[in-house]
PDB file of all heavy atoms in Angstrom:
ATOM      1  N   VAL A   1      -0.790  -8.125   7.672  1.00  0.00           N
ATOM      2  CA  VAL A   1      -1.294  -9.410   7.929  1.00  0.00           C
ATOM      3  C   VAL A   1      -1.838  -9.579   9.250  1.00  0.00           C
ATOM      4  O   VAL A   1      -2.905 -10.128   9.616  1.00  0.00           O
ATOM      5  CB  VAL A   1      -0.283 -10.542   7.584  1.00  0.00           C
ATOM      6  CG1 VAL A   1      -0.763 -11.904   8.005  1.00  0.00           C
ATOM      7  CG2 VAL A   1       0.031 -10.591   6.054  1.00  0.00           C
ATOM      8  N   LEU A   2      -1.026  -9.143  10.286  1.00  0.00           N
ATOM      9  CA  LEU A   2      -1.439  -9.233  11.755  1.00  0.00           C
ATOM     10  C   LEU A   2      -2.624  -8.315  11.918  1.00  0.00           C
ATOM     11  O   LEU A   2      -3.520  -8.670  12.719  1.00  0.00           O
ATOM     12  CB  LEU A   2      -0.260  -8.805  12.590  1.00  0.00           C
ATOM     13  CG  LEU A   2       0.923  -9.811  12.679  1.00  0.00           C
ATOM     14  CD1 LEU A   2       2.053  -9.186  13.534  1.00  0.00           C
ATOM     15  CD2 LEU A   2       0.489 -11.132  13.268  1.00  0.00           C
ATOM     16  N   ASP A   3      -2.605  -7.122  11.352  1.00  0.00           N
ATOM     17  CA  ASP A   3      -3.674  -6.164  11.568  1.00  0.00           C
ATOM     18  C   ASP A   3      -4.973  -6.692  11.030  1.00  0.00           C
ATOM     19  O   ASP A   3      -6.043  -6.344  11.638  1.00  0.00           O
ATOM     20  CB  ASP A   3      -3.295  -4.885  10.912  1.00  0.00           C
ATOM     21  CG  ASP A   3      -4.145  -3.649  11.455  1.00  0.00           C
ATOM     22  OD1 ASP A   3      -4.164  -3.453  12.659  1.00  0.00           O
ATOM     23  OD2 ASP A   3      -4.726  -2.980  10.580  1.00  0.00           O
ATOM     24  N   ALA A   4      -4.946  -7.464   9.940  1.00  0.00           N
ATOM     25  CA  ALA A   4      -6.245  -7.984   9.334  1.00  0.00           C
ATOM     26  C   ALA A   4      -6.711  -9.258  10.068  1.00  0.00           C
ATOM     27  O   ALA A   4      -7.850  -9.656   9.807  1.00  0.00           O
ATOM     28  CB  ALA A   4      -5.897  -8.284   7.891  1.00  0.00           C
ATOM     29  N   ALA A   5      -5.898  -9.886  10.857  1.00  0.00           N
ATOM     30  CA  ALA A   5      -6.289 -11.139  11.519  1.00  0.00           C
ATOM     31  C   ALA A   5      -7.120 -10.857  12.702  1.00  0.00           C
ATOM     32  O   ALA A   5      -7.116  -9.763  13.337  1.00  0.00           O
ATOM     33  CB  ALA A   5      -5.021 -11.886  11.896  1.00  0.00           C
ATOM     34  N   ILE A   6      -7.879 -11.820  13.137  1.00  0.00           N
ATOM     35  CA  ILE A   6      -8.758 -11.781  14.325  1.00  0.00           C
ATOM     36  C   ILE A   6      -7.814 -11.699  15.565  1.00  0.00           C
ATOM     37  O   ILE A   6      -6.965 -12.614  15.732  1.00  0.00           O
ATOM     38  CB  ILE A   6      -9.681 -12.951  14.417  1.00  0.00           C
ATOM     39  CG1 ILE A   6     -10.618 -12.969  13.205  1.00  0.00           C
ATOM     40  CG2 ILE A   6     -10.484 -12.928  15.754  1.00  0.00           C
ATOM     41  CD1 ILE A   6     -11.481 -14.199  13.107  1.00  0.00           C
ATOM     42  N   PRO A   7      -7.926 -10.746  16.455  1.00  0.00           N
ATOM     43  CA  PRO A   7      -7.008 -10.591  17.584  1.00  0.00           C
ATOM     44  C   PRO A   7      -6.883 -11.908  18.449  1.00  0.00           C
ATOM     45  O   PRO A   7      -5.823 -12.210  18.890  1.00  0.00           O
ATOM     46  CB  PRO A   7      -7.561  -9.431  18.357  1.00  0.00           C
ATOM     47  CG  PRO A   7      -8.244  -8.613  17.303  1.00  0.00           C
ATOM     48  CD  PRO A   7      -8.823  -9.591  16.383  1.00  0.00           C
ATOM     49  N   SER A   8      -8.042 -12.542  18.687  1.00  0.00           N
ATOM     50  CA  SER A   8      -7.937 -13.727  19.522  1.00  0.00           C
ATOM     51  C   SER A   8      -7.204 -14.873  18.856  1.00  0.00           C
ATOM     52  O   SER A   8      -6.527 -15.640  19.542  1.00  0.00           O
ATOM     53  CB  SER A   8      -9.389 -14.216  19.846  1.00  0.00           C
ATOM     54  OG  SER A   8     -10.083 -14.517  18.649  1.00  0.00           O
ATOM     55  N   VAL A   9      -7.232 -14.901  17.510  1.00  0.00           N
ATOM     56  CA  VAL A   9      -6.444 -15.949  16.809  1.00  0.00           C
ATOM     57  C   VAL A   9      -4.948 -15.621  16.934  1.00  0.00           C
ATOM     58  O   VAL A   9      -4.152 -16.521  17.126  1.00  0.00           O
ATOM     59  CB  VAL A   9      -6.885 -15.942  15.339  1.00  0.00           C
ATOM     60  CG1 VAL A   9      -5.908 -16.775  14.519  1.00  0.00           C
ATOM     61  CG2 VAL A   9      -8.283 -16.421  15.205  1.00  0.00           C
ATOM     62  N   VAL A  10      -4.609 -14.360  16.785  1.00  0.00           N
ATOM     63  CA  VAL A  10      -3.228 -13.958  16.910  1.00  0.00           C
ATOM     64  C   VAL A  10      -2.735 -14.244  18.327  1.00  0.00           C
ATOM     65  O   VAL A  10      -1.579 -14.747  18.511  1.00  0.00           O
ATOM     66  CB  VAL A  10      -3.046 -12.454  16.591  1.00  0.00           C
ATOM     67  CG1 VAL A  10      -1.554 -11.976  16.796  1.00  0.00           C
ATOM     68  CG2 VAL A  10      -3.475 -12.164  15.135  1.00  0.00           C
ATOM     69  N   ALA A  11      -3.486 -13.914  19.381  1.00  0.00           N
ATOM     70  CA  ALA A  11      -3.093 -14.179  20.694  1.00  0.00           C
ATOM     71  C   ALA A  11      -2.888 -15.648  20.966  1.00  0.00           C
ATOM     72  O   ALA A  11      -1.930 -16.079  21.634  1.00  0.00           O
ATOM     73  CB  ALA A  11      -4.145 -13.625  21.703  1.00  0.00           C
ATOM     74  N   ALA A  12      -3.789 -16.445  20.434  1.00  0.00           N
ATOM     75  CA  ALA A  12      -3.626 -17.946  20.583  1.00  0.00           C
ATOM     76  C   ALA A  12      -2.399 -18.440  19.908  1.00  0.00           C
ATOM     77  O   ALA A  12      -1.702 -19.325  20.411  1.00  0.00           O
ATOM     78  CB  ALA A  12      -4.888 -18.659  20.024  1.00  0.00           C
ATOM     79  N   MET A  13      -2.071 -17.913  18.776  1.00  0.00           N
ATOM     80  CA  MET A  13      -0.836 -18.292  18.047  1.00  0.00           C
ATOM     81  C   MET A  13       0.440 -17.872  18.826  1.00  0.00           C
ATOM     82  O   MET A  13       1.378 -18.686  18.925  1.00  0.00           O
ATOM     83  CB  MET A  13      -0.831 -17.714  16.660  1.00  0.00           C
ATOM     84  CG  MET A  13      -1.733 -18.348  15.637  1.00  0.00           C
ATOM     85  SD  MET A  13      -1.471 -17.729  13.948  1.00  0.00           S
ATOM     86  CE  MET A  13      -2.638 -18.774  13.103  1.00  0.00           C
ATOM     87  N   HIS A  14       0.337 -16.730  19.470  1.00  0.00           N
ATOM     88  CA  HIS A  14       1.492 -16.316  20.308  1.00  0.00           C
ATOM     89  C   HIS A  14       1.711 -17.310  21.476  1.00  0.00           C
ATOM     90  O   HIS A  14       2.860 -17.642  21.784  1.00  0.00           O
ATOM     91  CB  HIS A  14       1.277 -14.909  20.890  1.00  0.00           C
ATOM     92  CG  HIS A  14       1.681 -13.837  19.854  1.00  0.00           C
ATOM     93  ND1 HIS A  14       2.980 -13.622  19.500  1.00  0.00           N
ATOM     94  CD2 HIS A  14       0.934 -12.843  19.282  1.00  0.00           C
ATOM     95  CE1 HIS A  14       3.049 -12.562  18.662  1.00  0.00           C
ATOM     96  NE2 HIS A  14       1.814 -12.099  18.547  1.00  0.00           N
ATOM     97  N   LEU A  15       0.613 -17.690  22.113  1.00  0.00           N
ATOM     98  CA  LEU A  15       0.727 -18.637  23.162  1.00  0.00           C
ATOM     99  C   LEU A  15       1.260 -19.999  22.697  1.00  0.00           C
ATOM    100  O   LEU A  15       2.111 -20.619  23.393  1.00  0.00           O
ATOM    101  CB  LEU A  15      -0.714 -18.841  23.833  1.00  0.00           C
ATOM    102  CG  LEU A  15      -1.188 -17.696  24.682  1.00  0.00           C
ATOM    103  CD1 LEU A  15      -2.603 -18.004  25.187  1.00  0.00           C
ATOM    104  CD2 LEU A  15      -0.255 -17.478  25.870  1.00  0.00           C
ATOM    105  N   ARG A  16       0.786 -20.499  21.567  1.00  0.00           N
ATOM    106  CA  ARG A  16       1.283 -21.779  21.052  1.00  0.00           C
ATOM    107  C   ARG A  16       2.730 -21.644  20.634  1.00  0.00           C
ATOM    108  O   ARG A  16       3.509 -22.572  20.805  1.00  0.00           O
ATOM    109  CB  ARG A  16       0.420 -22.202  19.816  1.00  0.00           C
ATOM    110  CG  ARG A  16      -0.954 -22.703  20.254  1.00  0.00           C
ATOM    111  CD  ARG A  16      -1.576 -23.552  19.162  1.00  0.00           C
ATOM    112  NE  ARG A  16      -1.941 -22.790  17.967  1.00  0.00           N
ATOM    113  CZ  ARG A  16      -3.124 -22.161  17.818  1.00  0.00           C
ATOM    114  NH1 ARG A  16      -4.054 -22.234  18.724  1.00  0.00           N
ATOM    115  NH2 ARG A  16      -3.359 -21.517  16.674  1.00  0.00           N
ATOM    116  N   ALA A  17       3.177 -20.462  20.120  1.00  0.00           N
ATOM    117  CA  ALA A  17       4.521 -20.238  19.735  1.00  0.00           C
ATOM    118  C   ALA A  17       5.410 -20.271  21.024  1.00  0.00           C
ATOM    119  O   ALA A  17       6.474 -20.934  21.022  1.00  0.00           O
ATOM    120  CB  ALA A  17       4.707 -18.892  19.092  1.00  0.00           C
ATOM    121  N   ALA A  18       4.987 -19.687  22.155  1.00  0.00           N
ATOM    122  CA  ALA A  18       5.777 -19.701  23.375  1.00  0.00           C
ATOM    123  C   ALA A  18       5.892 -21.105  23.902  1.00  0.00           C
ATOM    124  O   ALA A  18       6.956 -21.485  24.411  1.00  0.00           O
ATOM    125  CB  ALA A  18       4.987 -18.805  24.440  1.00  0.00           C
ATOM    126  N   ALA A  19       4.799 -21.858  23.780  1.00  0.00           N
ATOM    127  CA  ALA A  19       4.895 -23.279  24.256  1.00  0.00           C
ATOM    128  C   ALA A  19       5.786 -24.124  23.350  1.00  0.00           C
ATOM    129  O   ALA A  19       6.541 -24.947  23.862  1.00  0.00           O
ATOM    130  CB  ALA A  19       3.470 -23.829  24.299  1.00  0.00           C
ATOM    131  N   ALA A  20       5.703 -23.870  22.080  1.00  0.00           N
ATOM    132  CA  ALA A  20       6.473 -24.692  21.090  1.00  0.00           C
ATOM    133  C   ALA A  20       7.941 -24.422  21.189  1.00  0.00           C
ATOM    134  O   ALA A  20       8.829 -25.329  20.882  1.00  0.00           O
ATOM    135  CB  ALA A  20       5.967 -24.498  19.721  1.00  0.00           C
ATOM    136  N   LEU A  21       8.334 -23.186  21.497  1.00  0.00           N
ATOM    137  CA  LEU A  21       9.720 -22.781  21.507  1.00  0.00           C
ATOM    138  C   LEU A  21      10.553 -23.520  22.618  1.00  0.00           C
ATOM    139  O   LEU A  21      11.731 -23.846  22.465  1.00  0.00           O
ATOM    140  CB  LEU A  21       9.925 -21.316  21.667  1.00  0.00           C
ATOM    141  CG  LEU A  21       9.641 -20.482  20.400  1.00  0.00           C
ATOM    142  CD1 LEU A  21       9.609 -19.003  20.741  1.00  0.00           C
ATOM    143  CD2 LEU A  21      10.663 -20.788  19.327  1.00  0.00           C
ATOM    144  N   GLY A  22       9.862 -23.750  23.716  1.00  0.00           N
ATOM    145  CA  GLY A  22      10.550 -24.465  24.818  1.00  0.00           C
ATOM    146  C   GLY A  22      11.526 -23.572  25.607  1.00  0.00           C
ATOM    147  O   GLY A  22      11.685 -22.385  25.253  1.00  0.00           O
ATOM    148  N   ALA A  23      12.094 -24.105  26.634  1.00  0.00           N
ATOM    149  CA  ALA A  23      12.975 -23.288  27.532  1.00  0.00           C
ATOM    150  C   ALA A  23      14.397 -23.236  26.999  1.00  0.00           C
ATOM    151  O   ALA A  23      14.744 -23.996  26.119  1.00  0.00           O
ATOM    152  CB  ALA A  23      12.991 -23.897  28.899  1.00  0.00           C
ATOM    153  N   GLY A  24      15.152 -22.351  27.557  1.00  0.00           N
ATOM    154  CA  GLY A  24      16.611 -22.185  27.231  1.00  0.00           C
ATOM    155  C   GLY A  24      16.912 -21.035  26.369  1.00  0.00           C
ATOM    156  O   GLY A  24      16.561 -19.930  26.732  1.00  0.00           O
ATOM    157  N   THR A  25      17.550 -21.263  25.263  1.00  0.00           N
ATOM    158  CA  THR A  25      18.049 -20.118  24.481  1.00  0.00           C
ATOM    159  C   THR A  25      16.920 -19.319  23.802  1.00  0.00           C
ATOM    160  O   THR A  25      17.102 -18.273  23.347  1.00  0.00           O
ATOM    161  CB  THR A  25      18.989 -20.674  23.308  1.00  0.00           C
ATOM    162  OG1 THR A  25      18.273 -21.640  22.519  1.00  0.00           O
ATOM    163  CG2 THR A  25      20.220 -21.274  23.937  1.00  0.00           C
ATOM    164  N   SER A  26      15.690 -19.866  23.808  1.00  0.00           N
ATOM    165  CA  SER A  26      14.581 -19.178  23.210  1.00  0.00           C
ATOM    166  C   SER A  26      13.757 -18.387  24.228  1.00  0.00           C
ATOM    167  O   SER A  26      12.642 -17.956  23.944  1.00  0.00           O
ATOM    168  CB  SER A  26      13.653 -20.193  22.498  1.00  0.00           C
ATOM    169  OG  SER A  26      14.300 -20.863  21.455  1.00  0.00           O
ATOM    170  N   ASP A  27      14.288 -18.198  25.464  1.00  0.00           N
ATOM    171  CA  ASP A  27      13.525 -17.502  26.478  1.00  0.00           C
ATOM    172  C   ASP A  27      13.067 -16.123  26.100  1.00  0.00           C
ATOM    173  O   ASP A  27      11.998 -15.695  26.456  1.00  0.00           O
ATOM    174  CB  ASP A  27      14.305 -17.526  27.814  1.00  0.00           C
ATOM    175  CG  ASP A  27      14.290 -18.850  28.540  1.00  0.00           C
ATOM    176  OD1 ASP A  27      13.465 -19.758  28.159  1.00  0.00           O
ATOM    177  OD2 ASP A  27      15.177 -19.048  29.403  1.00  0.00           O
ATOM    178  N   ALA A  28      13.972 -15.364  25.485  1.00  0.00           N
ATOM    179  CA  ALA A  28      13.615 -14.016  25.056  1.00  0.00           C
ATOM    180  C   ALA A  28      12.419 -13.976  24.062  1.00  0.00           C
ATOM    181  O   ALA A  28      11.516 -13.216  24.186  1.00  0.00           O
ATOM    182  CB  ALA A  28      14.800 -13.264  24.465  1.00  0.00           C
ATOM    183  N   ALA A  29      12.484 -14.918  23.117  1.00  0.00           N
ATOM    184  CA  ALA A  29      11.405 -14.969  22.143  1.00  0.00           C
ATOM    185  C   ALA A  29      10.111 -15.481  22.809  1.00  0.00           C
ATOM    186  O   ALA A  29       9.034 -14.954  22.520  1.00  0.00           O
ATOM    187  CB  ALA A  29      11.787 -15.978  21.040  1.00  0.00           C
ATOM    188  N   ARG A  30      10.220 -16.446  23.727  1.00  0.00           N
ATOM    189  CA  ARG A  30       9.062 -16.929  24.441  1.00  0.00           C
ATOM    190  C   ARG A  30       8.412 -15.758  25.270  1.00  0.00           C
ATOM    191  O   ARG A  30       7.287 -15.645  25.259  1.00  0.00           O
ATOM    192  CB  ARG A  30       9.450 -18.066  25.433  1.00  0.00           C
ATOM    193  CG  ARG A  30       9.798 -19.348  24.719  1.00  0.00           C
ATOM    194  CD  ARG A  30      10.281 -20.380  25.773  1.00  0.00           C
ATOM    195  NE  ARG A  30       9.305 -20.613  26.806  1.00  0.00           N
ATOM    196  CZ  ARG A  30       9.570 -20.855  28.054  1.00  0.00           C
ATOM    197  NH1 ARG A  30      10.846 -20.846  28.455  1.00  0.00           N
ATOM    198  NH2 ARG A  30       8.590 -21.101  28.960  1.00  0.00           N
ATOM    199  N   ALA A  31       9.274 -14.963  25.902  1.00  0.00           N
ATOM    200  CA  ALA A  31       8.732 -13.870  26.667  1.00  0.00           C
ATOM    201  C   ALA A  31       8.046 -12.895  25.804  1.00  0.00           C
ATOM    202  O   ALA A  31       6.985 -12.345  26.151  1.00  0.00           O
ATOM    203  CB  ALA A  31       9.886 -13.188  27.478  1.00  0.00           C
ATOM    204  N   ALA A  32       8.583 -12.614  24.643  1.00  0.00           N
ATOM    205  CA  ALA A  32       7.956 -11.631  23.723  1.00  0.00           C
ATOM    206  C   ALA A  32       6.589 -12.163  23.216  1.00  0.00           C
ATOM    207  O   ALA A  32       5.653 -11.349  23.151  1.00  0.00           O
ATOM    208  CB  ALA A  32       8.865 -11.407  22.493  1.00  0.00           C
ATOM    209  N   HIS A  33       6.512 -13.469  22.983  1.00  0.00           N
ATOM    210  CA  HIS A  33       5.205 -13.992  22.606  1.00  0.00           C
ATOM    211  C   HIS A  33       4.259 -13.936  23.750  1.00  0.00           C
ATOM    212  O   HIS A  33       3.027 -13.704  23.528  1.00  0.00           O
ATOM    213  CB  HIS A  33       5.410 -15.505  22.135  1.00  0.00           C
ATOM    214  CG  HIS A  33       5.996 -15.603  20.799  1.00  0.00           C
ATOM    215  ND1 HIS A  33       5.452 -15.104  19.648  1.00  0.00           N
ATOM    216  CD2 HIS A  33       7.130 -16.241  20.377  1.00  0.00           C
ATOM    217  CE1 HIS A  33       6.223 -15.385  18.584  1.00  0.00           C
ATOM    218  NE2 HIS A  33       7.240 -16.069  19.025  1.00  0.00           N
ATOM    219  N   LEU A  34       4.642 -14.245  24.945  1.00  0.00           N
ATOM    220  CA  LEU A  34       3.748 -14.152  26.114  1.00  0.00           C
ATOM    221  C   LEU A  34       3.240 -12.721  26.282  1.00  0.00           C
ATOM    222  O   LEU A  34       2.061 -12.512  26.550  1.00  0.00           O
ATOM    223  CB  LEU A  34       4.470 -14.649  27.365  1.00  0.00           C
ATOM    224  CG  LEU A  34       4.714 -16.152  27.454  1.00  0.00           C
ATOM    225  CD1 LEU A  34       5.689 -16.479  28.614  1.00  0.00           C
ATOM    226  CD2 LEU A  34       3.423 -16.926  27.588  1.00  0.00           C
ATOM    227  N   ALA A  35       4.094 -11.782  26.169  1.00  0.00           N
ATOM    228  CA  ALA A  35       3.692 -10.375  26.213  1.00  0.00           C
ATOM    229  C   ALA A  35       2.667  -9.984  25.197  1.00  0.00           C
ATOM    230  O   ALA A  35       1.721  -9.321  25.465  1.00  0.00           O
ATOM    231  CB  ALA A  35       4.934  -9.440  26.162  1.00  0.00           C
TER     232      ALA A  35
END
């Protein structure tokens, strides 16, 4: 599913996911999305 998606769309979703998760216990997940 990821491989078939447009890379820029996937990157934008990772950024929105990092923003939506917020700080605190989700920092590791946020960092993974940013990377």
Side-chain angles (χ1 to χ4, degrees):
V1 169
L2 290 175
D3 197 56
I6 298 172
S8 60
V9 171
V10 175
M13 286 188 177
H14 277 295
L15 287 176
R16 288 199 291 271
L21 284 170
T25 57
S26 299
D27 283 344
R30 288 175 59 215
H33 285 302
L34 289 169

